[in-house]
Amino acid sequence: MKEPKFVAFSTQKGGAGKTTLTVVMASYFYYIKGMKVLVVDCDYPQYSIEEMRQRDKDLVDCNPAFEKAFRENIVRTKLQPWPMLLATPDDAMEKVREIVEGGNDIDIVFFDLPGTINNRGVVNILNCMDSVIVPIAADRVILESSLAFAMKINEWLTTGKSQVKEMYLLWNLVDARERTELYDQYEALFSEYGLVTMKTRIPDTKKFRREGSKVLPRAVFRSTVMPPDKTLIKGTRLPELADEITKLLKL
């Protein structure tokens, strides 16, 4: 039986974009790339992705334009919304193993985790990951917190305390006005600490927060039941990130 790849966009600082990246990448791989995806929301207690899925369901019920686009997507892709598992950090891996060993064909399992490593359940999940991707931003608070998180995991890796296979930093919320040299200098510093940065840099654009509207017939980008709209993908670097993740995971 094929073993799925386990991936987590993870950091301990809110606002770095881990949940948005999880949803958008899951939808891109599933609806556009045709890969079999499972999303595990164990971001207890807020369960942000579960709330997003409920908002999407409400939009199907109350917005005729969104419902039409939703139905057309099912006809075009022959795909129901990607499956999602709601779990606490303590029981998430056991539930995922039951699903995998139950004969379900899955390519990638995306995990949305609580923003802490001071939790045994979270540590156990991280230890099972093929790739941990830590979103970072050129914001002092986010950068310091995310780096502290990444360096702790890196410490576990170098001392043999963790079974995480790979960890990468990912520039997110990149301001187009910032000098490229600034990011290059940061990456050189990260490298000195043994931290690897992904090549793709995700720009700071409102498109990533673009959900459906209850009253407006607008295209959506962040959705659990629809792919990111093709007209909105340009300039987001989403295809480049998907290609890089595909290569890293050897899919």
Coordinates of all heavy atoms in Angstrom, one line a residue, residues 2 4-5 26 28-31 33-39 79 82-83 103-110 251:
K2 N 0.5 2.2 -0.8 CA 1.3 3.4 -1.0 C 1.2 4.3 0.3 O 0.1 4.5 0.9 CB 0.8 4.3 -2.1 CG 1.5 5.6 -2.4 CD 0.9 6.3 -3.5 CE -0.5 6.8 -3.2 NZ -1.0 7.6 -4.3
P4 N 1.3 7.8 2.1 CA 1.1 9.2 1.7 C 2.3 10.0 2.3 O 2.9 9.6 3.3 CB -0.2 9.6 2.4 CG -0.4 8.7 3.5 CD 0.2 7.4 3.1
K5 N 2.5 11.2 1.8 CA 3.4 12.2 2.3 C 2.7 13.0 3.4 O 1.6 13.5 3.1 CB 4.0 13.0 1.2 CG 4.8 12.2 0.2 CD 6.0 11.6 0.7 CE 6.8 10.9 -0.4 NZ 8.1 10.3 0.1
A26 N -3.8 22.8 -0.3 CA -4.6 21.6 -0.4 C -5.5 21.7 -1.6 O -5.7 20.7 -2.3 CB -5.3 21.4 0.9
Y28 N -5.2 23.5 -4.2 CA -4.5 23.6 -5.5 C -4.1 22.1 -5.9 O -4.3 21.7 -7.0 CB -3.3 24.4 -5.4 CG -2.6 24.7 -6.7 CD1 -2.9 25.7 -7.6 CD2 -1.5 23.8 -7.1 CE1 -2.3 25.9 -8.8 CE2 -0.9 24.0 -8.3 CZ -1.3 25.1 -9.2 OH -0.6 25.3 -10.4
F29 N -3.5 21.4 -5.0 CA -3.1 20.0 -5.3 C -4.3 19.1 -5.6 O -4.2 18.3 -6.5 CB -2.3 19.4 -4.1 CG -0.9 19.7 -4.1 CD1 -0.3 20.6 -3.1 CD2 0.0 19.2 -5.0 CE1 1.0 20.9 -3.1 CE2 1.3 19.5 -5.1 CZ 1.9 20.3 -4.1
Y30 N -5.4 19.3 -4.9 CA -6.6 18.5 -5.1 C -7.4 18.8 -6.3 O -7.6 18.0 -7.2 CB -7.4 18.6 -3.8 CG -8.6 17.7 -3.8 CD1 -8.6 16.3 -3.6 CD2 -9.9 18.2 -4.0 CE1 -9.7 15.5 -3.5 CE2 -11.1 17.4 -3.9 CZ -10.9 16.1 -3.7 OH -12.0 15.3 -3.7
Y31 N -7.8 20.0 -6.4 CA -8.8 20.4 -7.5 C -8.0 20.7 -8.8 O -8.6 20.5 -9.9 CB -9.5 21.7 -7.1 CG -10.4 21.5 -5.9 CD1 -10.2 22.2 -4.7 CD2 -11.5 20.6 -5.9 CE1 -10.9 22.1 -3.6 CE2 -12.3 20.5 -4.8 CZ -12.0 21.2 -3.6 OH -12.8 21.0 -2.5
K33 N -4.3 20.0 -9.5 CA -3.3 19.0 -9.8 C -3.8 17.6 -9.8 O -3.2 16.6 -10.3 CB -2.1 19.1 -8.8 CG -1.4 20.4 -8.8 CD -0.6 20.7 -10.0 CE 0.7 19.9 -9.9 NZ 1.6 20.2 -11.1
G34 N -5.0 17.4 -9.3 CA -5.7 16.0 -9.3 C -5.1 15.0 -8.3 O -5.3 13.8 -8.5
M35 N -4.4 15.5 -7.3 CA -3.8 14.6 -6.3 C -4.8 14.3 -5.2 O -5.7 15.1 -4.9 CB -2.5 15.2 -5.7 CG -1.4 15.3 -6.7 SD 0.2 15.8 -5.8 CE 1.3 15.8 -7.2
K36 N -4.7 13.2 -4.6 CA -5.6 12.8 -3.5 C -5.1 13.3 -2.2 O -4.0 13.0 -1.8 CB -5.7 11.2 -3.5 CG -6.2 10.6 -4.8 CD -6.2 9.1 -4.7 CE -6.8 8.6 -6.0 NZ -6.0 9.0 -7.2
V37 N -5.9 14.2 -1.6 CA -5.5 15.0 -0.4 C -6.4 14.7 0.8 O -7.6 14.4 0.6 CB -5.6 16.5 -0.8 CG1 -5.5 17.3 0.4 CG2 -4.5 16.8 -1.8
L38 N -5.8 14.7 1.9 CA -6.5 14.7 3.2 C -6.0 15.8 4.0 O -4.8 16.0 4.1 CB -6.3 13.4 4.0 CG -6.8 13.3 5.4 CD1 -8.4 13.4 5.4 CD2 -6.4 12.0 6.1
V39 N -6.9 16.6 4.6 CA -6.5 17.7 5.4 C -6.9 17.4 6.9 O -8.1 17.0 7.1 CB -7.2 19.1 5.0 CG1 -6.9 20.2 6.0 CG2 -6.7 19.4 3.6
L79 N -15.0 15.8 -8.6 CA -14.5 15.8 -7.3 C -15.4 16.4 -6.3 O -15.9 17.6 -6.5 CB -13.1 16.4 -7.2 CG -12.0 15.8 -8.0 CD1 -10.8 16.8 -7.9 CD2 -11.6 14.5 -7.4
W82 N -12.5 18.3 -0.8 CA -11.5 17.4 -0.3 C -11.9 17.0 1.2 O -12.5 17.7 1.9 CB -10.1 18.0 -0.3 CG -9.8 19.4 0.0 CD1 -9.5 20.4 -0.9 CD2 -9.8 20.1 1.3 NE1 -9.3 21.6 -0.3 CE2 -9.5 21.4 1.0 CE3 -10.1 19.7 2.6 CZ2 -9.4 22.4 2.1 CZ3 -10.0 20.6 3.6 CH2 -9.6 22.0 3.3
P83 N -11.5 15.7 1.5 CA -11.9 15.2 2.8 C -11.1 15.9 3.9 O -9.9 16.3 3.7 CB -11.5 13.7 2.7 CG -10.5 13.7 1.6 CD -10.8 14.7 0.7
G103 N -7.4 1.5 3.6 CA -7.3 1.3 2.1 C -7.6 2.5 1.3 O -7.8 2.4 0.1
N104 N -7.7 3.7 2.0 CA -7.9 4.9 1.3 C -6.6 5.4 0.5 O -5.6 5.4 1.1 CB -8.4 6.0 2.2 CG -9.7 5.7 2.9 OD1 -10.8 5.8 2.3 ND2 -9.7 5.2 4.1
D105 N -6.8 5.7 -0.7 CA -5.6 6.1 -1.5 C -5.4 7.6 -1.3 O -6.2 8.4 -1.8 CB -5.9 5.8 -3.0 CG -4.7 6.0 -3.9 OD1 -3.6 6.2 -3.3 OD2 -4.9 6.1 -5.1
I106 N -4.3 8.0 -0.7 CA -4.0 9.4 -0.4 C -2.6 9.7 -0.8 O -1.6 8.9 -0.5 CB -4.2 9.6 1.1 CG1 -5.6 9.3 1.6 CG2 -3.8 11.1 1.4 CD1 -5.8 9.3 3.1
D107 N -2.4 10.8 -1.5 CA -1.0 11.2 -1.9 C -0.4 12.1 -0.8 O 0.8 12.0 -0.5 CB -1.1 12.0 -3.2 CG -1.6 11.1 -4.4 OD1 -1.0 10.0 -4.5 OD2 -2.5 11.6 -5.1
I108 N -1.1 13.1 -0.3 CA -0.6 14.1 0.6 C -1.6 14.3 1.8 O -2.8 14.4 1.6 CB -0.3 15.4 0.0 CG1 0.4 15.3 -1.3 CG2 0.4 16.3 1.0 CD1 0.6 16.7 -2.0
V109 N -1.1 14.3 3.0 CA -1.9 14.6 4.2 C -1.3 16.0 4.7 O -0.1 16.0 5.1 CB -1.8 13.6 5.3 CG1 -2.7 14.0 6.5 CG2 -2.2 12.2 4.8
F110 N -2.2 17.0 4.7 CA -1.8 18.3 5.2 C -2.3 18.4 6.7 O -3.5 18.2 6.9 CB -2.4 19.4 4.4 CG -1.7 19.6 3.0 CD1 -2.3 19.1 1.9 CD2 -0.5 20.3 2.9 CE1 -1.7 19.3 0.6 CE2 0.1 20.4 1.7 CZ -0.5 19.9 0.5
L251 N 7.0 13.5 -5.4 CA 5.7 13.0 -5.8 C 5.6 12.7 -7.3 O 6.3 13.4 -8.1 CB 4.6 14.0 -5.4 CG 4.4 14.2 -3.9 CD1 3.5 15.5 -3.7 CD2 3.7 13.0 -3.3

